[in-house]
């Protein structure tokens, strides 16, 4: 039986040069945790934001990286009754164990069984990006036919949010760079180029404004597009709570049901996470660098 296992960590808060792969004992699950052999792990902006120190966290170093994964259960901790050894699962990392790893621990309360219709690669994108897409599209209830605008529509959360919007028969406007036009349109959304003047282009197709603004970018791009919201309280952000609140909007509220719901939606083939780049654990640095550009298309994953 394997006793040692590799994981990507950062050794101090800072840039990508602080990342390295180390060996550690295969982690054993505590109460409420499950141990998995990782099959795939989704890469998210929070991974490099955490490493950079901008989240203000003070984790013990070295700190393992990665928050979402799919894999096969190898052991369960005390009190875990919903999972058993050999189950295929997807979930959020437990404590600080990291998912860019050969083995890790998941939080059983934030883990679900992987339906066989979903590949391990796609499953790895649902616990963070997929569940966020679910929550951000459901925080304000729209009626079929109402208009939902997504700023950052070509990224990991944005593409899944656009597809959820189409499932509900909303009119979806996706704002992204020109390189992502085809990808955004493949969801059924109307593409609007994110270059200067995006708000004018949105007004040309939605003269009365939009019923919901989903922000996945923040900053000046959010300020510029916010003028198209019919009501500023319908600006919901996953990227920049401070700016959204200044504009009258709010931060996305993460829910417990989001993971189960998005897994069901994906199981029925209604949402494709669009995994566009796959990296080995040895190349996890490149995976994080791709997401750190801020201009990734769809989801990037690491497969140990
Ligand atoms: N609060 C939470 O629980 C939570 C959970 C998940 C994610 N988030 C946050 O939500 C944000 C989005 O996450 P993600 O995983 O979707 O990120 P991502 O995969 O990196 O996608 C971001 C997208 O934004 C686009 N973009 C960048 N600048 C833009 C601009 N000025 N106008 C329009 N689009 C622009 C990028 O490509 P192009 O510029 O080429 O179009 C990219 O496709 C991040 O800030 C992340 O940290 C929060």
């Amino acid at each position: 039986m394997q006793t040692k296992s590799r994981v990507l960590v950062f050794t101090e808060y800072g840039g990508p040069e602080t990342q390295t792969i180390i060996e550690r004992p295969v982690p054993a699950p505590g109460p409420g945790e499950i141990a998995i052999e990782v099959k795939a792990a989704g890469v998210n902006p929070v991974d490099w934001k955490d490493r950079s120190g901008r989240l203000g966290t003070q984790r013990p170093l070295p700190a393992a990286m990665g928050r979402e994964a799919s894999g096969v259960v190898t052991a369960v901790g005390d009190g875990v009754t919903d999972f058993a050894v050999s189950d295929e699962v997807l979930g959020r990392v437990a404590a600080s164990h990291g998912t860019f790893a050969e083995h890790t621990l998941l939080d059983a309360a934030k883990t679900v069984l992987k339906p066989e219709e979903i590949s391990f690669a796609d499953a790895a994108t649902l616990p963070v990006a997929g569940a966020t897409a679910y929550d951000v599209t459901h925080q304000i209830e729209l009626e079929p036919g109402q208009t939902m605008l997504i700023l950052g529509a070509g990224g990991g959360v944005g593409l899944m949010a656009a597809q959820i919007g189409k499932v509900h028969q909303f009119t979806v406007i996706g704002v992204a760079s020109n390189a992502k036009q085809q990808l955004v349109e493949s969801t059924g959304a109307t593409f609007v180029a994110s270059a200067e003047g995006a708000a004018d282009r949105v007004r040309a197709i939605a003269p009365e404004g939009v019923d919901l603004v989903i922000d996945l970018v923040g900053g000046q791009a959010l300020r510029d597009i916010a003028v198209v919201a019919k009501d500023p309280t319908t600006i919901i952000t996953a990227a920049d709570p401070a700016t959204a609140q200044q504009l009258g909007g709010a931060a996305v509220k993460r829910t417990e049901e989001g993971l189960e719901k998005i897994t069901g939606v994906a199981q029925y083939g209604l949402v494709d996470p669009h995994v566009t780049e796959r990296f080995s654990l040895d190349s996890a640095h490149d995976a994080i660098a791709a997401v750190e550009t801020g201009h990734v298309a769809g989801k990037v994953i690491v497969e140990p």
Side-chain angles (χ1 to χ4, degrees), residues 45 49 132 152 154-157 176-177 180 194 216-217 221 238-239 254 294-296:
K49 289 179 185 176
T132 303
V157 177
S177 60
K180 298 188 173 66
S194 54
L216 304 171
V217 177
R254 301 303 313 283
H295 298 286
V296 80

Side-chain angles (χ1 to χ4, degrees), residues 43 65 77 119 135 145 202 208 238 275 296:
V43 185
M65 300 183 73
S119 66
D135 288 340
V202 172
E208 291 170 10
V275 172
V296 80

Side-chain angles (χ1 to χ4, degrees), residues 18 26-27 29 33 45 48 52 65 67 79 106 110 126 146 161 214 225 239 246 248 253 289-290 293:
T18 67
V26 172
E33 296 175 343
W48 69 262
S52 74
M65 300 183 73
R67 307 262 176 125
L106 299 181
K110 293 176 180 166
L126 299 178
Q146 285 191 290
I214 291 177
I225 211 74
Q246 282 169 19
K253 294 188 194 109
T293 65

Side-chain angles (χ1 to χ4, degrees), residues 51-199:
R51 185 211 64 219
S52 74
R54 70 160 68 181
L55 299 183
T57 45
Q58 289 296 329
R59 297 170 57 194
L61 300 173
M65 300 183 73
R67 307 262 176 125
E68 61 181 350
S70 62
V72 179
V73 177
T74 55
V76 301
D78 285 349
V80 175
T81 53
D82 292 343
F83 304 100
V85 171
S86 301
D87 280 350
E88 297 181 348
V89 296
L90 58 120
R92 288 184 65 121
V93 73
S96 299
H97 292 281
T99 55
F100 307 139
E102 291 169 335
H103 297 86
T104 194
L105 302 180
L106 299 181
D107 179 345
K110 293 176 180 166
T111 297
V112 296
L113 291 170
K114 183 186 81 62
E116 61 183 26
E117 296 87 346
I118 306 177
S119 66
F120 280 112
D122 285 353
T125 72
L126 299 178
V128 173
T132 303
Y134 185 88
D135 288 340
V136 81
T137 50
H138 288 82
Q139 190 156 325
I140 289 185
E141 278 187 33
L142 296 188
E143 301 289 329
Q146 285 191 290
T147 304
M148 178 175 102
L149 177 141
I150 303 169
L151 181 66
V157 177
L159 281 174
M160 286 196 261
Q163 293 169 81
I164 293 167
K166 294 311 288 186
V167 170
H168 289 295
Q169 298 175 9
F170 305 150
T171 298
V172 180
I173 298 174
V175 182
S177 60
N178 282 321
K180 298 188 173 66
Q181 177 165 0
Q182 217 179 349
L183 196 54
V184 171
E185 287 178 345
S186 75
T187 67
T190 301
F191 170 80
V192 168
S194 54
E196 199 178 338

